[in-house]
């Protein structure tokens, strides 16, 4: 049975980007690790180059504070460092948004600070250096995963362009912060790649790790579970192919365990079943289905928001609108089912956040599947020089905006 049968494309028409043939042969595209690394090298190098532009612009900025000091201590970076060094705390000494609930570091999922602690203990680097080593390594792994996914579905050139596009997003600077976005993106995209190549147990296991990295890991788990369920339906209909039914079932069971385990642990540690959600409420983070986002967009677009002229809010509006448009494109082009589920769930989580000034654009950085339509379109450019010029201009623009977010913006990016 081909992958097209096992994992259908969504949408309403057969139009869209041309895909390379999928199936058992496609799974063996990279017969060995050396060939896989060689194939991904241009994409990873291109991603590293555009992020190097962003870091160079940060380094050239006169201040306040050095670039290295800023990217290791801004906002969430401090909390990740403290969790890595001292463990979790249920009272950070600051009153939260909800009366009686102080800020708690349990809002931050454990895998990223655990890796920081491991690097710190093994290599004896300072906490900031340990965090950056984890982040920058994860970002390269993510770029390789974006290439692998895009290449498998739409060809090597599209995969390469997709990896570079991820490095020139408006908020790509957070991929170089001591933040968890890079690690989460790496795990998410490799889990999706495992799904579309029908490596079900790997998909579920990597999804579990993504669920231990950020709460949005549930978007990855949803993609694995829905795709596995579709495969199991195929088995019931006698179209199971060469994959035993137990493997997608095991993948589906594994996929959400990280999220369920951590949320359950926080509830146990705090002595209340909804402990994690109480912690999130203190940070003014809760799900309202998009009502607050709609009000925020209205305020920004018609000028009723008191921060409507702030650059970060203007860019965030553009990013949100672009994300919704690109998701519509993926539906029309009928992208594979697990990608659609991951994208839709990521959008739902990011735009459903009830905090009025939630960093929605940053929340969408890991939604790399939204980049695939643009990557396929740019990959069709006849002139490599034109394509390189477009990406270089995007790298400069992203880098300059990253300087603003790092040194000038008074709010969390």
């Amino acid at each position: 049975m081909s992958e097209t049968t096992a994992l259908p494309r969504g949408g309403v028409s057969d139009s869209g980007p041309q895909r390379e043939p999928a199936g058992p042969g496609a799974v063996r595209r990279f017969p060995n690790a050396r060939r896989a690394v060689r194939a991904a090298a241009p994409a990873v190098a291109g991603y590293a180059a555009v992020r190097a532009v962003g870091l160079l612009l940060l380094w050239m900025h006169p201040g306040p504070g050095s670039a290295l000091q800023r990217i290791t201590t801004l906002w969430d970076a401090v909390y990740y460092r403290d969790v890595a060094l001292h463990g979790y705390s249920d009272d950070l000494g600051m009153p939260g948004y909800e009366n009686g609930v102080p800020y708690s570091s349990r809002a931050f999922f454990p895998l990223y600070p655990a890796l920081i602690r491991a690097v710190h203990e093994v290599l004896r680097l300072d906490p900031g250096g340990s965090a950056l080593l984890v982040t920058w390594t994860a970002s390269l792994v993510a770029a390789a995963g974006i290439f692998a996914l895009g290449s498998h579905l739409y060809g090597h050139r599209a995969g390469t362009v997709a990896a570079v596009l991820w490095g020139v997003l408006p908020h790509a600077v957070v991929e170089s912060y001591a933040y968890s976005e890079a690690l989460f993106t790496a795990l998410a995209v490799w889990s999706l790649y495992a799904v579309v190549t029908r490596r079900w147990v790997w998909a579920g296991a990597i999804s579990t790790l993504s669920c231990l990295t950020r709460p949005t890991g549930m978007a990855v788990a949803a993609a694995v579970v829905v795709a596995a369920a579709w495969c199991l339906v195929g088995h019931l209909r006698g179209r199971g192919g060469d994959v035993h039914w137990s493997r997608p079932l095991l993948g589906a069971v594994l996929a959400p365990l990280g999220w369920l385990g951590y949320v359950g642990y926080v509830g146990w540690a705090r002595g209340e079943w909804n402990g994690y959600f109480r912690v999130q409420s203190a940070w003014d983070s809760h799900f309202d289905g998009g009502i607050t986002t709609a009000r925020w967009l209205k305020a920004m677009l018609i000028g009723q928001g008191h921060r409507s002229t702030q650059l970060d809010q203007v860019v965030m509006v553009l990013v949100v609108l672009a994300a919704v448009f690109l998701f519509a494109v993926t539906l029309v082009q009928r992208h594979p089912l697990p990608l659609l589920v991951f994208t839709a769930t990521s959008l739902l989580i990011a735009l459903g956040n009830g905090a009025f000034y939630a960093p929605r654009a940053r929340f969408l950085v890991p939604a790399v599947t939204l980049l695939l339509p643009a990557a396929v379109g740019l990959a069709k450019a006849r002139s490599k020089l034109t394509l390189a010029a477009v990406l270089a201009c995007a790298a400069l623009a992203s880098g300059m905006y990253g300087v603003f977010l790092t040194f000038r913006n008074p709010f969390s990016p």
Side-chain angles (χ1 to χ4, degrees):
M1 181 181 66
S2 70
E3 282 188 35
T4 306
T5 303
L7 302 174
R9 297 166 75 180
V12 294
S13 73
D14 292 326
S15 62
Q18 296 297 312
R19 302 174 63 197
E20 296 185 7
V27 174
R28 296 187 294 271
R29 176 182 302 283
F30 303 138
N32 57 59
R34 182 178 299 177
R35 185 173 298 180
V37 171
R38 188 163 56 244
V44 176
Y47 169 80
V50 296
R51 287 306 317 133
V53 170
L55 289 172
L56 178 62
L57 291 173
L58 288 178
W59 180 76
M60 293 172 60
H61 193 273
S66 69
L68 186 63
Q69 183 266 335
R70 296 289 289 178
I71 65 177
T72 57
T73 59
L74 277 177
W75 299 98
D76 293 0
V78 174
Y79 299 111
Y80 282 122
R81 181 198 64 196
D82 288 347
V83 172
L85 295 180
H86 309 298
Y88 285 110
S89 170
D90 276 321
D91 189 350
L92 298 179
M94 300 177 291
Y97 280 83
E98 183 174 297
N99 291 333
V101 181
Y103 283 115
S104 168
S105 58
R106 296 189 194 278
F108 299 91
F109 276 52
L111 184 58
Y112 181 60
L115 291 176
I116 295 173
R117 179 61 179 261
V119 171
H120 172 65
E121 293 290 341
V122 172
L123 300 182
R124 309 312 300 175
L125 295 175
D126 64 87
S130 300
L132 290 185
L133 181 59
V134 173
T135 291
W136 293 359
T137 302
S139 69
L140 297 178
V141 174
I146 295 168
F147 166 78
L149 182 64
S151 174
H152 177 77
L153 295 172
Y154 304 117
H156 278 31
R157 194 173 186 186
T160 300
V161 174
V164 177
L165 283 178
W166 187 58
V168 299
L169 291 174
H171 287 71
V173 69
V174 301
E175 298 163 18
S176 302
Y177 281 4
Y179 274 34
S180 63
E181 273 79 4
L183 176 62
F184 174 71
T185 303
L187 294 169
V189 73
W190 279 110
S191 182
L192 291 174
Y193 177 74
V195 171
V196 299
T197 56
R198 295 186 298 166
R199 295 175 170 92
W200 294 107
V201 178
W202 276 108
I206 300 172
S207 173
T208 290
L209 294 177
S210 76
C211 287
L212 286 170
T213 306
R214 293 186 65 81
T216 44
M218 284 305 292
V220 185
V224 175
V225 169
V226 171
W230 182 268
C231 186
L232 290 171
V233 169
H235 275 277
L236 291 176
R237 294 178 176 178
R239 295 185 284 108
D242 57 353
V243 177
H244 192 269
W245 63 267
S246 62
R247 300 190 72 80
L249 179 61
L250 180 57
V253 171
L254 288 173
L257 290 184
W259 190 91
L260 294 173
Y262 182 68
V263 170
Y265 158 75
V266 174
W268 170 81
R270 292 178 61 89
E272 48 187 351
W273 70 269
N274 62 341
Y276 174 75
F277 304 101
R278 289 270 287 167
V279 167
Q280 287 284 29
S281 69
W283 292 84
D284 194 30
S285 180
H286 60 280
F287 184 79
D288 70 357
I291 295 174
T292 301
T293 297
R295 291 173 179 168
W296 165 76
L297 278 172
K298 179 181 177 182
M300 294 300 109
L301 292 173
I302 66 176
Q304 291 183 348
H306 68 278
R307 291 181 59 211
S308 59
T309 58
Q310 291 288 330
L311 179 60
D312 67 310
Q313 289 292 297
V314 173
V315 172
M316 199 181 304
V317 168
L318 294 176
V319 168
V320 167
L321 294 178
V324 173
F325 171 76
L326 288 172
F327 177 59
V329 172
T330 64
L331 288 174
V332 172
Q333 294 181 344
R334 304 184 67 191
H335 285 223
L337 177 63
L339 273 62
L340 291 178
V341 172
F342 170 74
T343 308
T345 311
S346 296
L347 280 171
L348 182 64
I349 294 171
L351 304 186
N353 193 300
F356 193 76
Y357 291 124
R360 294 171 178 86
R362 173 163 66 84
F363 290 165
L364 290 171
V365 165
V368 295
T369 46
L370 290 170
L371 300 175
L372 292 176
V376 171
L378 287 172
K380 294 178 181 178
R382 294 183 179 180
S383 170
K384 292 184 179 179
L385 183 60
T386 300
L387 177 59
V390 169
L391 294 176
C393 291
L396 285 173
S398 173
M400 289 187 289
Y401 186 61
V403 170
F404 167 79
L405 290 176
T406 304
F407 289 102
R408 299 300 181 188
N409 185 35
F411 303 95
S412 176

